[in-house]
Amino acid sequence: MTAKASILRITYSNELLEGGEFHVSSNCLPVKASRFEPAGHSFHDVALKLCGCFMDEKKEVEETDESVPKEKDQDFMQSSGSYSSGKGKKKSGDGANQQDHYALLGLGNLRYLATDDQIRKSYREVALKHHPDKQASLLLLEETEAGKQSKKDEIENHFKAIQEAYEVLIDPVKRRVFDSTDEFDDEVPTDCGPQEFFKVFGPAFLRNGRWSVTQPTPLLGDENTPLDDVDSFYDFWYGFKSWREFPHDDEYDLEDAESREEKRWMERQNAKLSEKAKKEESARIRSLVDNAYKRDPRVLKRKELLKAEKQKKKEAKFMVKKLQEEEAARVAEEERRKKEEDEKQAAEAAAQQKKIKEKEKKLLRKERSRLRTVSTNVVDQRLLDLNQDDVENLCMSLDVLKLKSLCDDMETQEECVQAELLKKALDNLDPSEKDNNNNISASSQRNGSVKVNGNVQKQKKEKPWAQEEIELLRKGMSKYPKGTSRRWEVISEYIGTHRQVDEILKATKTVLLQKPDPTKAFDTFLEKKKPSQPILSPPTTQEENKRVEVNQNANEVVENGVESGVENGTNSDSDEWSVGQVTALIQALKTFPKEANQRWERVAAAVPGKTVNECKKQFTLLKDKFKTKKK
């Protein structure tokens, strides 16, 4: 203790009092002072350390304080290794009133990376060091009461700031708000070279990853990163969810709310104020991801590969199509040539056949003329009752060879022999051929037949088109319009009457263009209308009731008028009506009154063997007979 007391004999120099650099002369070498001046107990501790005393205690303190950050002495300095780059910084709130909570607790080098345990431990050490009771010795340096009070207030405010920093950082909600307003580089890279992409955008994504709700965030990687990981990276950032808060100067303090409803109202108002800032933050993150995706060499390389592959497929498809077109053109050309050759051969064969037929016809006409010339004397003399019709019959019946043979035989013979040869040739003809040859002119003119080589060929008659076929043709043409594959064959099957395609095409130009006859409109209507079943009245067994009903029906007919029953009438006195037919007529008149549709057609259908006009005539006779009997 004696040694320590002797060491405490220290005098103050003028440099110390004036605040400049000073040298300590207390049994030690002169040293340069640090930025902060030791005072009170700290001054004596420094002096003792410089003298070499308490070295063992110093080692113990160093061993116990290994986990304490080295920058504890720099209580109010910003961390030199700050995370921010210093460009594009923004800080919400008033910078003059904003204190650095991490620096107060000596966590400036960790900041938002500091854990709760580190915050508690650092708070305990800083609070113990800067407690007002520990700093009471500083008041002794002040000479005036005002200076002592000012120093006391400064120490208390500093300790309160430490407590406030701990309360903010230990509360997750308040710490999130403080971290959101902490210094941060919001700059978004806009342009860079392919070689500098990972150097520029890698730190930007790493810097903005601190705001992600999901931790840890995926890394940008390098050129050798698989494409699946690259896609996962961009999927994560395109769906980025941020926990960053944006406090506003005009926000309400939720602790000032007097009720739950007021607190909820304050929360809604605060959300409205921060909504715009959150939208801007989302747009900033999206622009960062878009800029990176547009300039990512891995994505660009994949796009080039896909484009090249697509172009290759397109060219292959084009080549296949071109080959198919060339093959189709070649096949079409071969078919065209083959068709032309077939048509040429068919035309030559037809021309040759035509020449042969013309030659045969010429020979046939020559032999007929020769036969007529040879048989002129026989016909004029009417030998064996032969006439010109018999000669014509032979000319029409015999072929070229027979005619030539007959003419050769007759030319060298006398007239009697010629007549016998003609008679013999007529007898050798079939009776049916004779009849056909006799009536060939009339039948050819009547039936439109054609005689070729002595044979009569009948022209094919066209089958008339029924009204039902015409209606089906119209429906089929509307149901299967132009462009339908095998349209006319399909329409032929739709009609179902075995009509050929040529007949249908001809009908579209003739039958369908014909205007309907207005005089036959009612008949067409009757043909289309389905016949109605006759309604039979209930049978009665009393004849008197029948007579009364007949009289009543006739009376009703007279009262309703007879204008509709007298049209198109002719004298029918000669028509015979049986009792059954009269009874059926009266029953039908009773069943179908004047207001019924198609009354007389239905009445005629109910009367067996009678037409509409006959029913009308009989009705007129019954009416007249009833009137005369009534008189």
Side-chain angles (χ1 to χ4, degrees):
M1 292 298 293
T2 58
K4 187 175 181 181
S6 62
I7 294 173
L8 290 175
R9 297 172 186 175
I10 301 174
T11 59
Y12 296 96
S13 64
N14 294 329
E15 295 177 352
L16 178 63
L17 297 176
E18 293 176 0
E21 295 183 355
F22 66 94
H23 296 82
V24 179
S25 58
S26 176
N27 299 330
C28 65
L29 295 175
V31 293
K32 190 175 182 179
S34 62
R35 289 181 56 189
F36 301 100
E37 300 177 358
H41 295 288
S42 299
F43 178 82
H44 293 288
D45 291 340
V46 172
L48 292 173
K49 290 177 182 179
L50 293 175
C51 293
C53 299
F54 310 114
M55 294 299 295
D56 298 334
E57 295 180 2
K58 180 179 178 181
K59 292 179 181 179
E60 293 177 358
V61 172
E62 290 178 355
E63 291 177 357
T64 55
D65 296 343
E66 287 179 354
S67 62
V68 179
K70 295 180 179 180
E71 297 180 4
K72 281 291 185 68
D73 295 334
Q74 301 177 3
D75 293 333
F76 298 96
M77 294 178 62
Q78 292 292 336
S79 175
S80 60
S82 178
Y83 180 76
S84 174
S85 63
K87 296 187 295 182
K89 297 180 180 179
K90 70 174 185 179
K91 193 171 182 180
S92 178
D94 189 359
N97 298 328
Q98 184 79 10
Q99 65 178 6
D100 192 349
H101 298 317
Y102 290 109
L104 287 173
L105 296 182
L107 300 174
N109 60 329
L110 297 177
R111 305 197 72 80
Y112 74 95
L113 298 176
T115 62
D116 293 343
D117 294 338
Q118 290 175 339
I119 292 172
R120 291 189 184 95
K121 186 175 182 180
S122 180
Y123 168 70
R124 285 195 297 267
E125 294 175 357
V126 174
L128 183 62
K129 180 178 179 180
H130 296 280
H131 195 277
D133 295 341
K134 297 287 184 179
Q135 302 290 331
S137 60
L138 297 177
L139 300 178
L140 299 176
L141 300 177
E142 301 294 335
E143 296 179 356
T144 61
E145 292 294 332
K148 291 181 180 180
Q149 185 64 32
S150 176
K151 192 65 175 180
K152 182 179 180 181
D153 293 339
E154 181 181 352
I155 294 171
E156 290 179 354
N157 291 335
H158 182 62
F159 186 73
K160 290 179 180 179
I162 294 173
Q163 288 181 329
E164 181 183 356
Y166 175 72
E167 292 176 357
V168 171
L169 297 180
I170 204 66
D171 188 350
V173 178
K174 293 181 179 179
R175 184 182 180 184
R176 184 173 63 184
V177 175
F178 177 75
D179 289 341
S180 300
T181 59
D182 199 6
E183 292 182 356
F184 181 72
D185 185 6
D186 288 336
E187 182 183 3
V188 176
T190 56
D191 194 7
C192 66
Q195 303 298 332
E196 301 176 354
F197 173 79
F198 298 100
K199 295 180 181 179
V200 174
F201 283 92
F205 281 107
L206 186 63
R207 183 170 63 249
N208 287 275
R210 63 177 292 187
W211 309 119
S212 176
V213 175
T214 305
Q215 294 290 343
T217 58
L219 299 178
L220 181 61
D222 53 13
E223 295 180 355
N224 299 324
T225 304
L227 291 177
D228 295 339
D229 296 342
V230 175
D231 294 336
S232 301
F233 173 81
Y234 285 107
D235 291 341
F236 173 83
W237 280 98
Y238 273 116
F240 184 79
K241 294 183 180 180
S242 175
W243 55 263
R244 191 177 185 182
E245 298 290 343
F246 298 92
H248 198 272
D249 295 339
D250 298 333
E251 284 186 355
Y252 294 93
D253 190 0
L254 300 180
E255 296 181 356
D256 297 339
E258 298 180 355
S259 62
R260 182 171 56 185
E261 288 76 10
E262 186 178 2
K263 182 177 180 181
R264 292 178 179 175
W265 181 82
M266 289 180 178
E267 290 177 351
R268 291 194 295 270
Q269 297 299 321
N270 293 341
K272 290 180 181 179
L273 293 174
S274 62
E275 183 178 1
K276 182 178 180 181
K278 288 183 178 180
K279 289 183 178 180
E280 293 177 355
E281 177 68 8
S282 299
R284 187 183 69 83
I285 296 295
R286 177 56 66 91
S287 64
L288 172 63
V289 182
D290 290 340
N291 292 341
Y293 191 80
K294 291 178 182 178
R295 295 167 177 81
D296 195 333
R298 300 164 299 183
V299 177
L300 296 177
K301 184 177 180 181
R302 181 174 62 179
K303 287 183 177 179
E304 291 177 358
L305 292 176
L306 292 176
K307 185 177 180 181
E309 185 178 357
K310 185 177 179 180
Q311 183 67 21
K312 187 176 180 181
K313 290 182 179 179
K314 186 177 180 181
E315 292 177 356
K317 186 177 180 180
F318 176 76
M319 291 300 298
V320 171
K321 186 177 180 181
K322 185 177 180 180
L323 292 175
Q324 291 178 353
E325 291 178 354
E326 291 178 355
E327 183 66 17
R330 185 183 63 80
V331 173
E333 183 66 19
E334 290 180 357
E335 292 180 354
R336 185 184 64 79
R337 291 178 181 177
K338 185 177 180 181
K339 185 177 180 180
E340 289 179 356
E341 292 178 358
D342 294 342
E343 291 178 353
K344 185 177 180 180
Q345 293 177 0
E348 292 177 356
Q352 189 67 22
Q353 189 69 20
K354 185 177 180 182
K355 290 180 180 179
I356 294 172
K357 289 182 178 180
E358 290 292 337
K359 187 175 181 180
E360 291 179 353
K361 289 180 180 180
K362 187 175 181 181
L363 293 175
L364 182 60
R365 288 195 297 270
K366 181 178 179 182
E367 296 299 330
R368 287 176 180 174
S369 177
R370 183 182 174 190
L371 179 61
R372 294 189 186 97
T373 304
V374 172
S375 60
T376 301
N377 296 330
V378 177
V379 172
D380 293 340
Q381 298 178 11
R382 297 189 65 83
L383 298 176
L384 301 179
D385 296 332
L386 294 174
N387 52 20
Q388 188 65 32
D389 294 336
D390 296 334
V391 176
E392 292 295 332
N393 191 5
L394 289 174
C395 292
M396 296 300 175
S397 300
L398 300 178
D399 57 5
V400 177
L401 297 178
K402 292 181 179 181
L403 287 174
K404 184 177 180 181
S405 177
L406 181 58
C407 293
D408 291 341
D409 295 339
M410 291 178 63
E411 283 181 350
T412 59
Q413 302 297 332
E414 296 181 356
E415 296 178 357
C416 296
V417 179
Q418 291 178 355
E420 291 178 359
L421 292 174
L422 290 174
K423 191 68 175 178
K424 184 179 180 181
L426 287 172
D427 295 338
N428 292 332
L429 293 177
D430 294 335
S432 58
E433 292 182 359
K434 293 180 181 181
D435 297 336
N436 291 333
N437 292 328
N438 292 332
N439 300 324
I440 190 169
S441 300
S443 62
S444 60
Q445 294 177 1
R446 181 172 60 255
N447 299 329
S449 59
V450 179
K451 181 184 66 174
V452 179
N453 295 334
N455 297 325
V456 179
Q457 297 180 355
K458 294 185 177 179
Q459 294 181 352
K460 185 178 178 181
K461 293 184 178 179
E462 294 183 359
K463 181 181 177 182
W465 284 75
Q467 190 65 27
E468 295 179 357
E469 291 180 325
I470 297 174
E471 295 296 331
L472 288 174
L473 178 58
R474 286 197 179 95
K475 292 180 180 179
M477 292 181 66
S478 61
K479 186 175 182 180
Y480 304 103
K482 295 180 180 179
T484 305
S485 179
R486 301 177 67 254
R487 181 190 184 195
W488 299 111
E489 290 79 357
V490 174
I491 293 175
S492 177
E493 295 177 359
Y494 178 77
I495 296 173
T497 56
H498 305 287
R499 289 283 185 179
Q500 300 295 329
V501 176
D502 298 337
E503 296 179 352
I504 296 174
L505 291 173
K506 186 176 180 180
T508 56
K509 299 178 181 179
T510 57
V511 178
L512 294 182
L513 298 179
Q514 293 179 357
K515 295 183 179 180
D517 190 0
T519 58
K520 298 181 180 180
F522 186 72
D523 297 336
T524 306
F525 172 75
L526 293 180
E527 291 178 359
K528 293 182 180 180
K529 188 174 183 63
K530 296 181 179 179
S532 57
Q533 297 293 334
I535 303 174
L536 301 177
S537 62
T540 57
T541 56
Q542 298 180 3
E543 296 180 357
E544 294 180 357
N545 292 338
K546 291 183 179 179
R547 295 175 182 175
V548 172
E549 289 175 359
V550 170
N551 294 334
Q552 289 178 355
N553 184 52
N555 192 13
E556 290 176 359
V557 170
V558 173
E559 291 177 358
N560 292 332
V562 295
E563 291 81 1
S564 62
V566 188
E567 298 177 356
N568 300 326
T570 56
N571 294 328
S572 60
D573 295 338
S574 59
D575 294 341
E576 295 182 358
W577 283 71
S578 63
V579 179
Q581 290 176 340
V582 174
T583 305
L585 174 62
I586 296 172
Q587 184 68 27
L589 291 172
K590 173 187 171 185
T591 304
F592 307 108
K594 182 179 179 181
E595 294 80 7
N597 294 328
Q598 301 294 328
R599 181 192 184 195
W600 289 106
E601 287 75 7
R602 299 168 74 178
V603 169
V607 179
K610 296 299 180 181
T611 62
V612 175
N613 293 331
E614 292 175 349
C615 292
K616 289 180 180 179
K617 293 176 183 178
Q618 186 65 22
F619 168 71
T620 305
L621 293 175
L622 291 174
K623 183 185 66 174
D624 296 339
K625 186 176 181 180
F626 179 77
K627 287 182 178 180
T628 54
K629 185 176 181 181
K630 188 175 180 181
K631 291 179 180 180

